[in-house]
Structures are given as C-alpha cells and as structure tokens.
Amino acid sequence: MGPENIWFWLGFLAFVVVLLAIDLGVLNRKAHAVSLREAALMSALWISIALLFGVLVAVVLGSRAGVEYFTAWVLEKSLSVDNLFVFVLVFSFFRVPAQYHHRVLFWGILGAIAMRAVLIVVGASLIHQFSWLLLVFGAFLIYTGIKLARANEDDKPEIDNNPLLRLARRMLRITPEYHGQRFFVRLSGVLYATPLLLVLIVVESTDLVFAIDSIPAVIGVSHDPFIIFTSNVMAILGLRALYFLLAGAVDRFHYLKPALAIILTFVGVKMIAEQLFHPGESFENLMVVGSLVFILSVLAIAILASFMRERRQKHMQSETGLSHSVK
C-alpha cells in the first residue's frame, strides 16, 4: 500500500484509538473481575467489529484484499488462542487478583500493537529490498511447525527464567505486595515498582516471542503491510475478552497445537513454492481463497476432535464412577 493511501492508515489508527478509549474509559473504567457473560458479550463485539472491518476492506480495496484480510485474521486469531495458555500461567504464577487482569492485558496489547508495527514495517521493507527473505521466512515457519508438532502437551514455559524478568528484579525497587492496579507507587518519597509491572513485562516479552512466529505466517498470506497490520491489530484487540472467555477451558483444546503446526507448515511451504515457481496471477488468486478454506477446515477439525475427546473422557469417567458405586 503506497503513500497515496496514507489516509487508510490514519483512519484505521484513529479508529483503534477510539475503540481503546471506549474500552478503558467507559467499559472498564473501574477495576473488576470480568464475568463469563461479560467476556462472551465483549468477544462477540470484538469479533463482529473485525468481521465488519474485513467487509469494508473487501468493498474498498477489492475482493482479494478482503480474502487476504480474513485469512490473516483467522490465522492470527488461532495462533493467539495458544498464547492464552501462557497468560493463564503468568497470572497464576504471580497470583494476580482477578480484577487486575484486564489492566495488564490492556497495556500489554498497547505494547503489542507498537511492537508489531515496528516488526511489520521492518519486515515489509526488508522483503521489498530482498525478496529471497521470503524463502527464509518460509523455512522458519516449517521449522516452527515441526517444533510445535513435536512439543509435549505438558510442556510449560519457565516464567521465572524470563531474562527480562530477572533484569527487572535486579534494576528496580519492587514492593512485596500489590498496590491496587498501579504499576508504580511512591513510598516515603521513593518510587517503587509493584509486582503488577513485572507481570506486564512478562506478558510483553511473551507477545514479542509470539509475534516473531505469527508475523512471518501472516506475511505468507499477504505482502500488503496494511493487510498484515490491520489483521494483526483486529485479532489482538479482542484477545483480552477471549482470555476471560476461554481462560478456564483453554487446556481443553487438545488438538490446537497439532492444528497450528499443520497450518504453519502449510503457509511455509506455500511461501517457498510461490518464490521458487512464480505462479500466475490466476493461480495466486485461487491460492488466496484455498488458504482460507484450508486454515478454517484444519481449525474446525481440531476443535471438533478436541470436543469429541473431552466428551469421551467425561463418559469414561462417569462409567468408572458408576462401576465403583456398584462395587
């Protein structure tokens, strides 16, 4: 997207600022524990906004741009669900009161938007000058997919070994307890950081690692920086509501990691094939739609298989309980 479309960028950024202002200043002005009903309503709202924006992209920029946006958004959204599990562990590790989760995630998302903007601008600039980097990105996605497929379901990140967390603990004065939803507090004239700041640092560093995986995947779907950025932002804007909705059930998506492994490998292979064989425009248009159908199909199968496994496990547990009661 060239400089002549700067108004698209300014308009989108203004739209995001308004959404965030309404979110923090109106809907979540007071710290509170988000209920399941509120999370469901907010998730539906954010998803609806993202879908309507995709329709606007298709109307203004064309059907191919619209399909690329929806494919990138679905891909980013599905990858972010896996990241929710890490957020659950972080909040549990630091014993963060439920009413402060939203504040951490809100500021975490602001940082994520800034980091992704930098990564996308740098990545798009490098690809424009060195197109062979798409081969590197494709190989990286295939490696990431294989690594994810081989990961153990019980593997958990070692939060206490986070290098930024260790650095912050050495550099900052930190209070032993939380002080409401504040990241800093002044005690006896001395400025201290609260444990909530440490939580934010871990969340931001986790998202940086996550973005290094997800942005090359989205670049494999579209090379348009506007599509890449908007799909990323619209996906992560609803991440907080999705966290509160799925936090208690995220570990039940047993087949999400294998599905993401297949999707990342597929995008990596597609990226490399396009660079090596240079297919025609008609085939590229077909692949844009095919990629969306493939990603949605793999996710649907993974969700259905996870649901069936959960039902089967509950049925087996009920039968075991019944047999014990008979004895």
Side-chain angles (χ1 to χ4, degrees), residues 196-217:
L196 207 61
L197 180 67
L198 300 182
V199 179
L200 179 62
I201 289 172
V202 175
V203 167
E204 291 286 14
S205 60
T206 299
D207 187 77
L208 177 60
V209 174
F210 169 69
I212 291 173
D213 286 338
S214 67
I215 288 177

Side-chain angles (χ1 to χ4, degrees), residues 40 59 87 105 108 122 131 146-147 158 166 176 251 255 265:
V59 171
F87 292 164
L105 292 175
V122 171
S131 60
I146 295 173
K147 183 180 177 181
E158 297 181 359
R166 294 203 306 267
D251 58 336
Y255 298 109
T265 304

Side-chain angles (χ1 to χ4, degrees), residues 45-264:
L45 177 62
W46 284 115
I47 290 173
S48 299
I49 291 173
L51 294 177
L52 288 173
F53 183 80
V55 173
L56 181 63
V57 169
V59 171
V60 175
L61 301 179
S63 58
R64 173 166 175 169
V67 175
E68 286 183 352
Y69 166 85
F70 281 118
T71 306
W73 178 77
V74 169
L75 178 57
E76 183 70 24
K77 201 73 172 175
S78 59
L79 288 169
S80 68
V81 172
D82 191 45
N83 208 34
L84 295 181
F85 178 68
V86 179
F87 292 164
V88 173
L89 292 178
V90 171
F91 288 132
S92 175
F93 178 83
F94 286 98
R95 298 176 182 174
V96 182
Q99 62 266 33
Y100 305 144
H101 289 191
H102 182 276
R103 181 171 174 82
V104 172
L105 292 175
F106 178 88
W107 289 104
I109 282 174
L110 284 184
I113 291 174
M115 285 190 296
R116 286 160 191 269
V118 172
L119 289 173
I120 289 169
V121 169
V122 171
S125 176
L126 288 174
I127 289 172
H128 182 71
Q129 297 183 49
F130 311 104
S131 60
W132 55 266
L133 282 175
L134 289 170
L135 296 174
V136 178
F137 285 168
F140 174 72
L141 289 177
I142 294 172
Y143 166 77
T144 304
I146 295 173
K147 183 180 177 181
L148 192 61
R150 297 177 62 183
N152 192 304
E153 190 175 339
D154 298 325
D155 287 346
K156 296 181 180 180
E158 297 181 359
I159 297 171
D160 215 19
N161 290 332
N162 185 299
L164 289 179
L165 177 60
R166 294 203 306 267
L167 179 63
R169 282 173 168 167
R170 286 200 302 265
M171 301 284 291
L172 300 173
R173 297 187 184 93
I174 302 168
T175 61
E177 68 285 325
Y178 291 98
H179 287 260
Q181 57 179 347
R182 288 183 288 179
F183 295 116
F184 294 95
V185 63
R186 190 172 294 276
L187 301 174
S188 302
V190 179
L191 187 65
Y192 287 84
T194 71
L196 207 61
L197 180 67
L198 300 182
V199 179
L200 179 62
I201 289 172
V202 175
V203 167
E204 291 286 14
S205 60
T206 299
D207 187 77
L208 177 60
V209 174
F210 169 69
I212 291 173
D213 286 338
S214 67
I215 288 177
V218 177
I219 290 175
V221 171
S222 174
H223 297 169
D224 188 331
F226 184 76
I227 298 297
I228 297 170
F229 182 67
T230 55
S231 61
N232 260 260
V233 171
M234 296 308 291
I236 64 176
L237 278 177
L239 188 58
R240 284 159 299 135
L242 199 62
Y243 165 80
F244 293 111
L245 183 63
L246 299 179
V250 70
D251 58 336
R252 296 181 183 178
F253 292 95
H254 303 284
Y255 298 109
L256 179 62
K257 285 186 184 294
L260 294 178
I262 293 171
I263 291 170
L264 289 176

